[in-house]
Amino acid sequence: MSIDITIKIGGEAGQGIQTVGQLLALTCREAGLYVFGINDFESRIRGGHSFFQLRISDQQVRAPHHVVNLLVALDERTVDLHRRQVSPDGMIIVNKKELCDSPNMLAISFDDLAAQAGDPITANTVAAGCVLAILHAPFDLFHQVLTNLFSGKKQSSLDVNLKAGRLGYDAAGDRRCSAALPWSAALQKKPLIEGSQAIAYGALAGDCRFAAFYPMSPATGIMIHLAACQNDFPLIVEQAEDEIAAANMIIGASFAGVRSMTATSGGGFCLMTEAIGLAGITETPCVFINAQRPGPATGLATRTAQADLHMVIRAGQDDFPRFVFAPGSPEQAYAVTSQALSLAEKYQVPAIVLVDQFFNDSLYTLEKAFLIPNTIERFVLDHASINNPAEYKRYVFTDSGISPRALPCQGTALVKYSGNEHLENGHTSEAPEIRTGMVDKRARKLIGMRSEMQGPEPYYADAETLLLCWGSTHGVVREAVKMLRQDGINVGSLHFCDLWPFPEEKVAPLLSGEKRLIVVEQNSTAQFAQLLRQQTGISVHGAVLKYNGRPLYPYEIVNALKEKEYSHA
Amino acid sequence: MSIDITIKIGGEAGQGIQTVGQLLALTCREAGLYVFGINDFESRIRGGHSFFQLRISDQQVRAPHHVVNLLVALDERTVDLHRRQVSPDGMIIVNKKELCDSPNMLAISFDDLAAQAGDPITANTVAAGCVLAILHAPFDLFHQVLTNLFSGKKQSSLDVNLKAGRLGYDAAGDRRCSAALPWSAALQKKPLIEGSQAIAYGALAGDCRFAAFYPMSPATGIMIHLAACQNDFPLIVEQAEDEIAAANMIIGASFAGVRSMTATSGGGFCLMTEAIGLAGITETPCVFINAQRPGPATGLATRTAQADLHMVIRAGQDDFPRFVFAPGSPEQAYAVTSQALSLAEKYQVPAIVLVDQFFNDSLYTLEKAFLIPNTIERFVLDHASINNPAEYKRYVFTDSGISPRALPCQGTALVKYSGNEHLENGHTSEAPEIRTGMVDKRARKLIGMRSEMQGPEPYYADAETLLLCWGSTHGVVREAVKMLRQDGINVGSLHFCDLWPFPEEKVAPLLSGEKRLIVVEQNSTAQFAQLLRQQTGISVHGAVLKYNGRPLYPYEIVNALKEKEYSHA
Amino acid sequence: MPDIKDYESLVEIKWCPGCGNFSILAAMKKALCNLGLAPHEVLIISGIGQAAKTPHYLACNLFHGLHGRALPIATGAKIANHNLTIIVNSGDGDCYGEGGNHFINAIRRNIDLTLLVHNNKVYGLTKGQASPTSDLNMVTRAQPHGVMLEPFNPLAVALALGCGFVARGYAGKPDHLASLIEHGVRHRGFSLIDILQPCVSFNHINTYPWYNERVYELERSGHDPSDFNAAWEQARKWGERIPIGLFYREDKPTLTDRLHALRHGPLVDQQYVPERLASLFSSL
Amino acid sequence: MPDIKDYESLVEIKWCPGCGNFSILAAMKKALCNLGLAPHEVLIISGIGQAAKTPHYLACNLFHGLHGRALPIATGAKIANHNLTIIVNSGDGDCYGEGGNHFINAIRRNIDLTLLVHNNKVYGLTKGQASPTSDLNMVTRAQPHGVMLEPFNPLAVALALGCGFVARGYAGKPDHLASLIEHGVRHRGFSLIDILQPCVSFNHINTYPWYNERVYELERSGHDPSDFNAAWEQARKWGERIPIGLFYREDKPTLTDRLHALRHGPLVDQQYVPERLASLFSSL
Ligand SMILES: Cc1ncc(C[n+]2csc(CCOP(=O)(O)OP(=O)(O)O)c2C)c(N)n1
Ligand SMILES: Cc1ncc(C[n+]2csc(CCOP(=O)(O)OP(=O)(O)O)c2C)c(N)n1
Ligand code: SF4
Ligand code: SF4
Ligand SMILES: [Mg+2]
Ligand SMILES: [Mg+2]
């Protein structure tokens, strides 16, 4: 990696840390640079401590870095908490002179300069301008970013912000950080996107038309992004009275014919589990996004975890087919969300997508815009094609387990769904042979479903040691593999996105031979290792587990591997 | 087994089938005989078809038998549905002459005789009298049963019932079934109990003082049995507005100092899962009974299943310690429910007891009355013993993971519980090291908890083939083993009651060597086999699975083993 | 014009003989015929309970869901296709107990459907526990010391929530009930029809004779359903005299009237247009 | 007599500067002192939200549970030990949204506790989505076309449910609020105090100035809290003039008064007596 700079902006909630980060990221976008940003904040609205950490590079970056090149401290606490991470040649910008106690520090009063610019609210623009100067960025690029941002707004807003940016830029004087980034206006700007946004857009690409939700961190962002699209798409986003209502609403909407989904976190997901079973037995397609955070109960509301894997696979009483996916990048999240809507409809089952706070609240540069499907293949039976409407049976027994699904009130065939065990026609039945028949019919779908599942994504998969990971840690583990290999350690990785039905046949061959298998997970019990043994009988040799609510860093994996500091799973 | 008679009484819901069965069972009790009764009924109040099937023996019986010696048909449908199960030397009593079409049938109009006795409501007494005559029972015993039953009630009620019983008894004429039971008044009567009752009484023996519930088959019976005890025990049974409320109420009650529990079935359990996590992170002891029925969603409300094993182990987001038990007999259910209350308190964790419709609604003869604890060991910190109340910390870090638990408002120490991740003192904390510390503290309890777990109960455990079962099928599998061994097949069984934390060390040794392992389960995916492989890496060789909602019969296992008609798990 | 026969279902009815549900079923069929709706034009959604079995017993499209959750299912269905004519059959336990929160919020949404609550003041299907509407002190096997909770008054609560169609029917007056249902379906907005329904198996207090002695029709007592205060006063009556009929009626915008995306027609009928995504992505 | 200082907590307060919650906290402390209760005699139970953080900010026993579920936790605790003095701190989302069904049923149970709903008419902790009490048409990032649901009127609903203590406080009048809390705690039975609470971060409609212009104290306007009809009329007022104070008060038996087993004292204090089991088993 030729250039790799990490900027951390810390301060109290409400100080606009994210705005600074956003301005920097947009300027990088202007220059065709890659960024990766993580958001760290407490469960409060004002005060406390939070930070935004932006990594900038001329190559794709998909993991946070633990060494900070430039620390922007909007308060004293930020200095105390983070100065140790600043690299020897790094810099610290503080907003008060009094805080300066070493030569690598630069004091700039963002507030004073903002006032000078004409509006105290522009302090963040001041800060961004200052950082950009230190990063060797030409002011032009920032000028362009601000112009874009305020296009369509009052000219005076733009003017005051340009002034503020300039003041900040100039305030840096000749202080520059060591590494120079290749700043020049890019011909093609690469899209910038948040994890939660990638999911929202994936939903649109999957023709989701109805989303119901109850606010819950870190899932809310997905719905906020979707809600903003209601003017331009055939889409309704409804805030429900609780998660139970949200789950049942999407089932109702799907029954009536539109693709639908919800998003929540663990506690809300718990409340949806009965409805997931309802989707299972009524064979109603729908998508549940579970954005994980540490639990149980309220746990750590604004922190990250990967600890709901087994819960989502087992949610709801009794057995019924479902999909579970855990994407590892915004591209995969976009594709998988769209695919989940489609596969749910094709197999008439619930599909669950597992993400987490780390993924949802991170900022990514995309190599290129997401692919847009030209058409949507619907898996719905047209009433016109029903020969004998009076004989239509919603749950007719088929070899594939999939029964042609007509929509209610779209023709003369009567469409009957039931959450009780039922006959082919949808009426309740307690007959033992019907019960067995219907369980088997539903289970038969698993054959087709399993064939849709991708095996894990290999990366130096023939290495001696394989790191097994799933979900959001994809980029982090890859980077750790790269670092380890640079140090001559023969390691590779497998990233699992398609988790249920577990694609045993595609997994087992990759794990055979004399390999050392180590899972990397953000939970305390190595949940994936348990799943792997359950499904294949294969035991792993170790586990790198982090479960303090904070994102995993590549160096942590590297250290654990080098020091053999991993627990035996 | 010297004597083994099965009587099936069938008819519509509301016809009093269970009353007939109850009278017969009580008469057997009078004679010191053993019974085992199963209840089969639809999800309706009147009409349809239901039956009660009573097996009578001079030895302990704990499984239903598939051959019927005496069929009592209160309606025509019963004859149609069940006549094929009647043994060649068996008999069928019908209530209408027109239904008689073979020599083994006897028509007696219970209604006419009841009217003759003076009250149409006594038709069930007539039927019982008739059956008892056919079974060679002396009328005295029945006389005694009725006298006991109506003691304290109006003399006229007793009189008319005695008359009805006599009329039924005499109506049998000289028709007798082939096998004579050893009828003589027993010196010591063995207790008769329903499965759900054993749980309720176990709760009392565990000093449960508060139970909250929302009605749901097949769990309601437990609460009805408990509710009836409210006059004589320090006990309150509260019907909640929903399962969420029930689960949270028991947590509140336990927090305030009384042992508490709830009972529900799968759908209701789903709604409780968030609260189970709350119990987990707040370290509040409480007991959740999940009486399983086929699902998902409403499924088959009045039928049986064992398909919630993984769900209950994984319910609630993230990892936290919990107990899961699945008793196999009323004795074990009594002991385990009581123990669950105690262990939950000792380790300050939620405990889950898995039963099912088959178990809850069956009637058992006990060898002897349940053991009654003399005292209850409480695991609660007395405020008087707190040296420095101002410094009391609810979640103090300890080696065992267990922090001394004081009750609120019982002294000057302030008691603070939180469902957010917290400091030792119970106040919210987002600090990463606190998070890891608290997860680890809670996880440390698993060491003690695992040591409390019993390994499986072996039965000819050194046999070549081992049947592995859990929960309510204990007696059924045992009987199958006996039958197979009588046929010279070298088979044994292991019954698992203590399922989580899974007692790996106690299990693995029993399964080593060249054994053929076959699970016997009432679900469609061999859930226990999955759990076993997950925890031990051991794969089973086959699975006998029944999931049509009906109880398992020993002969079904025998046939499956002989015909090798089991699925490869 | 559809005929009652068109609404026949071949499914065996699993209610007890004499149950009040039979006349509710008959009233529904009659109302639907009077409304000129054919079975395939009707969608009936229910929760779980005896009441919730209703949609199986007449010809219609149906969704028989979870205990307590009929209203959210119906809300989702109506948003997806606001041309649907939706009736919800629920029980007092289903709707006011497990589903209490959805009852509140379906009214707040003014989602356009007709809710029939078969209010037998008991949990029928689970064998006779108290329901939210059970009388104080009613003894059951689950409440051996009698009910200790103040009964839930659905009409008063609905009025407090701003419901635009608040009515009470009685299974003992099926023609009156049929006419209420007809009006309820015609009403644009959320229509609550709480139906006094004797349960012959478990409720031995609120029986047919008990009600027959007490009920009176608001339509015959000069009640003005546009008068909110009068409605409130009537809604609080219970005991010696029990009013049935339309308590209150008011037109307000429904949720689906308000939703912007539905201005272009039902969601289910709209088109997927890839260009919209392209223009969205161009802003990234 | 305890002092305000006794109620000090060392925990850092995580509310926004200027938040209405600060005066609610102050009013609580004042009321508790006036009641002569020491911190260890008080149990505060809360759900999840900004409001629900309250118990950490004063000295007390506390249970900080799940979003929406404070009332069932409190109900269980009160049944287990009916000597407890319980206050519940909840938000409008916590109590009227996620917890709507428990709100209904805690009132029906008349469980003896004091419920303080910090009603900021918004979901504060989750960053400003509409709550059940948000005004119609209020625009948020989750409701870009404005709120489309009729606002939930907690006082009217409580009255419709037969609540025996119905009050509204205002964070801008902390002394008045303290006195309401004091009366609420003294009241034997379920006491609802809905508190108008400005949220400076997310609710830019219902601000301090907005309320200051509108609120008036019922105590100063000749309102008789024993007059149900007058209470109902006041409860339905909202807009130009907003009443605060005690709307309605009525004594009724509480749940714990009614429960038989509590006649022998709090459940938590009773004895385990093995003989009772023996006599139970003898009947088998
Ligand atoms: C989540 C859940 N909890 C409980 C039940 C059990 N259940 C089925 S019907 C019913 C109550 C029925 O009462 P009501 O709604 O009044 O209908 P009725 O049978 O009286 O018509 C209950 C509690 C269930 N099916 N699902
Ligand atoms: C089951 C569940 N759903 C959602 C959430 C997320 N959540 C936390 S607080 C809150 C709403 C807070 O609003 P309110 O109760 O009005 O309290 P406020 O913050 O405004 O005081 C929500 C939705 C949660 N913690 N648990
Ligand atoms: S139990 Fe009651 S409500 Fe249910 S069918 Fe029978 S009479 Fe009707
Ligand atoms: S967000 Fe609103 S309610 Fe929450 S602390 Fe801030 S001002 Fe108060
Ligand atoms: Mg009912
Ligand atoms: Mg709020």
Side-chain angles (χ1 to χ4, degrees), chain A residues 41-46 48 213-217 220 224 227-228 230-231 237-243 271 297-298, chain D residues 12-14 16-17 48 50 53 65-67 69 93 97-98 123-125 129-130 141-145 201-202:
Chain A
F41 50 98
E42 297 177 33
S43 184
R44 64 193 291 169
I45 305 303
R46 294 270 178 280
F213 77 108
Y214 188 80
M216 187 161 195
S217 310
T220 315
I224 299 291
Q230 286 177 100
N231 277 327
V237 179
E238 180 70 10
Q239 183 176 316
E241 56 270 28
D242 56 28
E243 289 85 351
L271 296 169
T298 312
Chain D
E12 185 213 345
I13 298 192
K14 298 189 179 177
C16 311
I48 295 295
Q50 298 284 26
K53 293 176 180 174
L66 293 174
H67 183 56
R69 317 302 172 194
E98 185 89 49
Y123 283 11
L125 190 55
Q129 302 82 21
R141 292 216 297 154
Q143 282 78 25
H145 298 144
S201 290
F202 295 114

Side-chain angles (χ1 to χ4, degrees), chain C residues 97 101 108 132 148 150 258, chain D residues 97 101 108 132 148 150 228 258:
Chain C
N101 210 21
R108 292 186 53 228
M148 299 180 186
E150 197 76 32
R258 284 178 159 140
Chain D
N101 210 22
R108 292 186 51 226
M148 300 180 187
E150 197 76 33
F228 182 84
R258 282 177 160 140

Side-chain angles (χ1 to χ4, degrees), chain A residues 13-93:
Chain A
Q15 282 192 299
I17 289 156
Q18 286 169 291
T19 313
V20 181
Q22 185 77 15
L23 290 171
L24 298 180
L26 286 170
T27 312
C28 293
R29 173 172 167 278
E30 217 52 35
L33 293 169
Y34 294 84
V35 301
F36 177 73
I38 58 171
N39 250 307
D40 178 295
F41 50 98
E42 297 177 33
S43 184
R44 64 193 291 169
I45 305 303
R46 294 270 178 280
H49 178 71
S50 53
F51 64 82
F52 180 84
Q53 185 170 316
L54 190 72
R55 188 171 177 191
I56 307 174
S57 176
D58 52 356
Q59 294 176 28
Q60 185 61 279
V61 268
R62 287 297 167 85
H65 200 259
H66 60 292
V67 179
V68 173
N69 303 93
L70 184 54
L71 177 65
V72 183
L74 303 188
D75 64 357
E76 185 170 353
R77 200 154 156 208
T78 301
V79 181
D80 297 344
L81 285 170
H82 303 289
R83 68 185 308 163
R84 261 156 310 148
Q85 292 151 42
V86 177
S87 65
D89 62 348
M91 273 178 68
I92 303 177
I93 313 181

Side-chain angles (χ1 to χ4, degrees), chain C residues 96-107:
Chain C
Y96 307 139
E98 184 89 47
N101 210 21
H102 314 308
F103 176 68
I104 293 176
N105 288 285
I107 295 178

